[in-house]
Structure formats: C-alpha cells, structure tokens
C-alpha cells in the first residue's frame, strides 16, 4: 500500500514539475527564436542590399543560410510568393503568423513586427529598404531585451512553482 | 517549331494581377495571337492594342469599342501588377525603373509611368505608378529571309543598312532577324556567318534576361545590354572586334559621332530610325547629314499598309532608287 502511495506521490510531483518546466521553457524559446529571427533578417538584408536578389530567391537563401528552426518560415513565404502570384507580399507574410505563434512561441507583438516587414519589403529602392531593415532590427532588439527580462523573471519561477505545487498537492493528499 | 502565339500571351498573364489576368485569359485565342500591348491606367478602362487599333476589354474578356461594361483598373491592381512585374523586388530593378521599363523573361517589356523622383544623378525612381504598358514581344523568325538578298554585298559582305519606319511597324523585329541571318549565315546564298555586335540600349533587340538573350539573334552575336549607343559602339569595337554592329533607334548627336567612329574602324552598321519615309528623316538633325553623306547603302522603308511589317521599299543609298525588282 505504501509503495503505491509513494509511486502516486512521485507521479504527481513529476507531472506538476513538468508542467512548470514546459511553461518556463516557452520563455526561453521565445528569446532564442527572436535571436534566430534577427539573424535571418540580417541575412535577408544582405541578400537584398548587396546581392540584389529578387525577393523569392532572397527568402529561399535565408532559409538555406539561417537556422532552420526559424528560417523555415522564410521558405514558406517564398513558396507562397511563387505559387500564388497574387502580387501581395503582406498576405504571404500573414500566412505564417499562425505557425509563428503555435510552434515558435512568439508573442503577438513579435509577429506584428515581423509581418510589418511584409508591408515594406521589396516595394521600394535600396535606400528605403535599408531604412526599414534598420527599424525592424531595432524593434527586434527591443523585443529581445524584453524577452530576456521576462525569461529571467519567469523561467525559474514557473519551474519552482511546478515542483512546489506538486509537493503541496502531495502534502494535502497525505 | 514556333510556339503558339496565344501561349505567349497566356505566359505573360502571370505578371498581371489575378483580377485582371482572369479576364484577359478569357479573350479568344484568335485575338490573343495579335495583341501587341496591354495597357493599365489608373481609374481608366483596361485596354489592349491589337491589329492596329485599341480596344476595351469587357468583364467577360471580349474586346469591344463600346465603353459600357468595361473593366476599370484601379490603383491597387496597378500596384499588384507592378509587384509581380518586378518580382516583388523593386530594389533589384532600380536601374531599369530609372530608365522607365522592366524587361521580363521572354523579352517582353513593361513600360512604367508615374511620379518620377529626382535625385543627385537624375531620375532616381518612379513611384505612385499611374500606368503600365505591357508590350508583348513577338519574335518573327524569318521575316528578313526575303530581303537578305538585297542586303548582301557580293561576294562576302553586307551593305550599311538603315531601316526607316513609323512606330509599331515591326522595325525592331526586322532588325533582329537581319542580325540573326547575318550571324548564322545563309548557306543557300553561300553567305558565311559574321561576327555581329548588338548595342541593345533598351533591351529590345535581344531581350536579355539575367544574361541570356530571349530572342534568336544568331550564334556569332555579342550583346551589350542596356548600354548607351555612344558608349556601346566604341566598347564593342575595342573589345569584341565585330564585323557588323546592330543598334536600334538612331537619333542623338552622340550616336552619330559614334557611328563615324565605327565607320573609321571599318565596321558595317545596321540600324533603325523612326520616320515615315526618306523625306521625313532627311529633315531630322544629324541624321539627314548621314543620309546626305551616303553612309547608308541600303534604306529599308516599312509601313503597315498590308499588316505590321510591310516592306514598302528598299532604296539604294546613293541614287535613292528602288532596288526591288
């Protein structure tokens, strides 16, 4: 009987810790992905400013050169541009916003900054493109700062909270 | 095998906003073969230029001259089309936009009009696009076959040739085909191919798209794409040792200077000029002088009296008499 109790208790503690861990991890991932995203956008900037590659190719190159964990969204945009032929870049950027939210732990404001890129990219000459890249990179830097703060604050807290709430449940049950 | 001309038109539709291309797709095959221009203007009806006249396009894809029930192009559609034409990459076409047109794959050209922005080096860009003119490039291989016998100077040379034609009468098409014939050679006439250099200021003759000419211009042909005639002629002579130089639309004073330069180097010139007939071009500055000095030994005069590209006459440049018999 005691053995059963012990097993039950450990299960409760383990699962609640796991929940805490998962919650905490989403903060870490957001920061990581923001850093990858920044790198990808920097690659895109080079592709456009120095390579002068057409947008669909430039996006594909970003996918190849960047960290695949994030850069796959650029490939999707590129494919959408090639297939749809609708003349709407923003539309193609908006298509990936769901994936960004669900799979990459991005927050709403991160996605907004990214899709804003879809409004300006490609539709002006190099000088103006440079300006909009500068703006977006600055915005992402700010988001990273915020994500880092949040991560420091919350990651540990959720982990501890998970473990401790598990313990609490066990104590109450006992 | 020559491709079906209607397919060329359908190919072009991918560069046009879907709202418009869906309508143009419905145009009958017969008409598609003959459409030369598709014109989009802000808040005005969609128009095509075809068989020497312009037509509105109804919402069902019929060509009509009745202004009722026509499709109106708006700013958004123009912008979308512009995005597609520039492959979403205005920055990659800065140079082209500065000169007012973009060349598409296949050698088709899209003319752009809108608000021009001036920078320190002249026109910097065009924004607020107000009209687009999509010109279907039609390659007519073999149009010059019949007249080559008038241009070959026996035994093994070519006459200096000038093609005179009003706009839209096929002078560039003819010029291109002459270049192809000279470059490839004509075995039936015992004419061996010669080195040809093309100065393609407006990317019209060879239609180069990322380094590859989209038109048949012959296997012994070198192309300076997007190059001013005055620079290009000299560059070609210096670098590529052409025997024949082909260029489009003579006119400027600088062009004429470059031509004298080419004559000094012993290069043969083939060129075109806008004009109705010989009298018309004689009145033009610079050019009149070239004719008077009898630089050109053959003058081909085109019009569209019997369809686009009718050859009205071929004159001898010395006596100004017809050489057609």
């Amino acid at each position: 009987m005691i053995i059963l109790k012990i097993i039950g208790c450990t299960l409760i503690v383990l699962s609640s810790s796991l929940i805490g861990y998962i919650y905490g991890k989403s903060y870490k991932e957001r920061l990581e992905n923001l850093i990858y995203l920044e790198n990808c956008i920097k690659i895109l900037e080079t592709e456009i400013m120095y390579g002068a590659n057409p947008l669909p190719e430039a996006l594909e190159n970003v996918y190849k050169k960047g960290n695949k964990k994030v850069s796959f969204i650029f490939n999707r945009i590129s494919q959408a541009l090639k297939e749809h032929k609708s003349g709407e870049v923003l539309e193609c950027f908006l298509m990936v916003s769901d994936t960004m939210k669900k799979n990459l732990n991005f927050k709403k404001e991160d996605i907004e900054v990214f899709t804003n890129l879809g409004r300006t990219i490609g539709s002006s000459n190099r000088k103006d493109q440079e300006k909009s890249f500068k703006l977006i990179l600055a915005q992402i830097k700010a988001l990273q700062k915020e994500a880092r703060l949040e991560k420091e604050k919350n990651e540990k807290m959720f982990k501890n909270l998970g473990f401790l709430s598990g313990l609490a449940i066990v104590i109450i049950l006992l | 095998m020559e491709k079906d001309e209607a397919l060329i038109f359908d190919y072009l539709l991918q560069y046009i906003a879907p709202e418009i291309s869906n309508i143009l797709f419905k145009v009958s095959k017969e008409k598609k073969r003959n459409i030369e221009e598709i014109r989009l203007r802000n808040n005005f009806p969609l128009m095509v230029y075809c068989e020497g006249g312009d037509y509105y396009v109804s919402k069902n894809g019929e060509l009509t001259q009745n202004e009722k029930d026509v499709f109106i192009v708006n700013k958004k559609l123009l912008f979308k089309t512009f995005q597609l034409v520039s492959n979403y990459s205005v920055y990659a076409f800065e140079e082209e936009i500065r000169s007012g047109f973009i060349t598409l794959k296949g050698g088709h050209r899209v003319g752009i009009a809108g608000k021009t922005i001036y920078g320190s080096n002249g026109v910097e860009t065009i924004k607020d696009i107000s009209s687009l003119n999509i010109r279907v490039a039609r390659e007519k291989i073999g149009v010059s076959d019949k007249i080559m016998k008038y241009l070959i100077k026996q035994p093994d040379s070519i006459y200096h040739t000038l093609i005179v034609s009003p706009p839209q009468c096929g002078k560039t098409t003819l010029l291109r085909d002459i270049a192809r014939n000279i470059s490839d050679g004509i075995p039936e006439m015992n004419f061996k191919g010669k080195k040809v250099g093309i100065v393609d200021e407006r990317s019209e003759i060879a239609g180069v798209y990322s380094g590859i000419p989209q038109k048949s211009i012959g296997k012994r042909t070198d192309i300076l794409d997007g190059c001013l005639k005055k620079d290009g002629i000299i560059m070609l002579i210096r670098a590529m040792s052409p025997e024949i130089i082909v260029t489009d639309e003579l006119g400027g004073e600088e062009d004429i200077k470059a031509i004298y330069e080419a004559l000094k180097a012993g290069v043969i010139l083939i060129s075109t000029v806008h004009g109705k007939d010989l009298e018309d071009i004689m009145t033009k500055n610079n050019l009149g002088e070239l004719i008077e000095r009898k630089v050109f030994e053959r003058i081909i005069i085109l019009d569209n009296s019997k369809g686009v590209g009718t050859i009205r006459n071929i004159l001898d440049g010395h006596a100004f008499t017809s050489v057609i018999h």
Side-chain angles (χ1 to χ4, degrees), chain B residues 144-145 148 151-152 157-159 161 175-186 191-197 217-221 243-246 268-270:
Chain B
S144 71
D145 291 357
M148 286 312 290
L151 306 183
I152 292 170
S157 182
I158 291 276
Y159 288 113
T161 305
L175 182 72
R176 181 188 306 129
D177 204 57
I178 291 175
R180 178 188 64 82
N181 263 327
I182 296 172
S183 171
D184 280 347
I186 310 167
F191 179 74
K192 285 202 193 98
K194 297 195 167 297
K195 286 181 279 180
V196 176
I217 36 121
K219 51 188 168 244
R220 293 183 190 82
T221 305
E243 290 161 277
I244 288 129
I245 287 185
V246 173
I268 292 167
L269 280 164
I270 300 181

Side-chain angles (χ1 to χ4, degrees), chain A residues 53-55 86 88-89 122 126, chain B residues 80 87-91 94:
Chain A
N53 289 325
L55 194 56
S86 62
E88 304 244 31
V89 185
R126 249 178 260 186
Chain B
K80 273 192 194 177
N87 201 0
Y88 312 101
S89 319
V90 173
Y91 55 85
E94 266 174 57

Side-chain angles (χ1 to χ4, degrees), chain A residues 47-48 52-58 81 84-89 121-127 129, chain B residues 14-19 76 79-84 86-94 124-125:
Chain A
E47 284 287 321
I48 286 176
N53 289 325
L55 194 56
E57 271 107 276
L81 282 179
H84 290 223
K85 299 264 176 213
S86 62
E88 304 244 31
V89 185
I121 197 163
S123 60
S124 58
N125 60 10
R126 249 178 260 186
K127 220 164 75 193
Q129 294 284 300
Chain B
Q14 62 172 308
Y15 292 103
I16 303 174
E19 291 87 340
K76 205 175 158 209
F79 180 71
K80 273 192 194 177
T81 309
F82 182 58
Q83 287 272 61
L84 285 168
S86 64
N87 201 0
Y88 312 101
S89 319
V90 173
Y91 55 85
F93 290 96
E94 266 174 57
E124 191 143 276
T125 184

Side-chain angles (χ1 to χ4, degrees), chain A residues 9 12-13 16-17 161-173:
Chain A
C9 293
I12 290 172
V13 173
S16 57
S17 309
L161 199 67
F163 177 69
L164 290 175
S165 51
L167 269 187
I169 294 169
V170 168
I171 290 165
I172 292 165
L173 287 180

Side-chain angles (χ1 to χ4, degrees), chain B residues 27-311:
Chain B
V27 172
S28 74
K29 255 195 170 163
E30 281 310 307
K31 299 281 182 203
K32 276 181 187 174
R33 283 196 192 105
N34 292 317
I35 290 177
E36 286 161 44
E37 289 180 350
I38 306 166
R39 288 190 165 271
L40 316 181
R41 295 186 183 94
N42 217 344
N43 294 337
F44 285 107
L46 170 67
M47 278 175 151
V48 294
Y49 189 88
C50 160
E51 294 158 341
D54 55 6
Y55 297 90
Y56 304 116
V57 182
S58 79
K59 284 167 187 153
N60 303 319
E62 284 152 22
L63 304 191
T64 126
Q65 282 183 324
N66 180 355
E67 218 173 310
K68 251 198 237 162
D69 199 37
V70 291
F71 184 84
I72 307 285
V73 178
N74 60 35
K75 196 173 173 184
K76 205 175 158 209
L77 294 179
L78 260 175
F79 180 71
K80 273 192 194 177
T81 309
F82 182 58
Q83 287 272 61
L84 285 168
V85 163
S86 64
N87 201 0
Y88 312 101
S89 319
V90 173
Y91 55 85
F93 290 96
E94 266 174 57
E95 288 298 323
E96 280 95 335
I97 292 168
R98 232 173 263 168
S99 45
F101 64 86
I102 291 178
T103 305
L104 300 176
K105 199 173 171 189
H108 312 285
R109 290 205 328 175
V110 182
I112 307 158
K115 166 98 182 133
T116 52
I117 310 288
Y118 271 89
S120 47
N121 307 317
V123 175
E124 191 143 276
T125 184
I126 301 177
K127 66 173 203 179
D128 298 333
I129 310 292
S130 59
S131 335
L132 290 174
N133 173 20
I134 301 163
R135 286 183 74 174
V136 185
R138 301 223 186 268
E139 190 179 18
K140 299 248 192 302
I141 296 177
V143 283
S144 71
D145 291 357
K146 274 191 206 145
I147 60 160
M148 286 312 290
K149 63 178 174 203
Y150 301 113
L151 306 183
I152 292 170
K153 186 160 146 188
Q154 294 299 337
D156 191 32
S157 182
I158 291 276
Y159 288 113
H160 292 285
T161 305
L162 183 69
I163 302 171
V164 180
S165 149
Q168 302 259 312
C169 286
K171 60 182 168 326
T172 307
T173 313
L174 183 66
L175 182 72
R176 181 188 306 129
D177 204 57
I178 291 175
R180 178 188 64 82
N181 263 327
I182 296 172
S183 171
D184 280 347
I186 310 167
E188 303 91 70
M189 292 164 118
N190 232 341
F191 179 74
K192 285 202 193 98
K194 297 195 167 297
K195 286 181 279 180
V196 176
I198 297 183
V199 185
D200 200 357
E201 190 170 321
R202 304 190 299 169
S203 306
E204 251 184 333
I205 308 175
V208 175
Y209 177 83
S210 54
I212 300 162
Q214 305 287 317
K215 307 283 174 59
S216 321
I217 36 121
K219 51 188 168 244
R220 293 183 190 82
T221 305
D222 310 300
I223 308 143
L224 269 179
D225 186 43
C227 187
L228 292 178
K229 285 182 282 285
K230 63 179 167 96
D231 302 324
I233 291 175
I234 312 241
M235 280 162 77
L236 276 177
I237 294 171
R238 230 186 266 147
M240 306 307 290
S241 72
E243 290 161 277
I244 288 129
I245 287 185
V246 173
T247 107
D248 213 354
E249 320 246 324
L250 286 182
E253 199 177 324
E254 303 265 9
D255 301 348
I256 309 293
K257 263 191 214 157
I259 281 182
Y260 284 120
E261 207 58 43
L263 290 175
K264 258 191 267 169
V267 178
I268 292 167
L269 280 164
I270 300 181
S271 187
T272 69
V273 68
H274 272 295
K276 277 204 297 288
D277 46 32
L278 198 60
E279 285 81 61
D280 189 25
I281 54 168
M282 289 292 264
T283 59
K284 289 187 180 173
N285 279 344
N286 308 319
L287 209 71
E289 188 194 315
L290 272 185
I291 306 287
E292 266 163 43
R293 286 209 193 175
K294 316 207 157 156
V295 167
F296 291 105
E297 297 158 297
R298 287 286 179 268
I299 298 167
I300 304 175
I301 296 176
L302 294 183
D303 63 14
N304 54 5
S305 55
K306 288 175 202 145
V308 173
T310 311
I311 291 161

Side-chain angles (χ1 to χ4, degrees), chain B residues 313-324:
Chain B
N313 211 345
I314 300 176
L315 301 177
D316 180 287
H318 287 277
F320 301 121
T321 51
S322 176
V323 291
I324 301 183

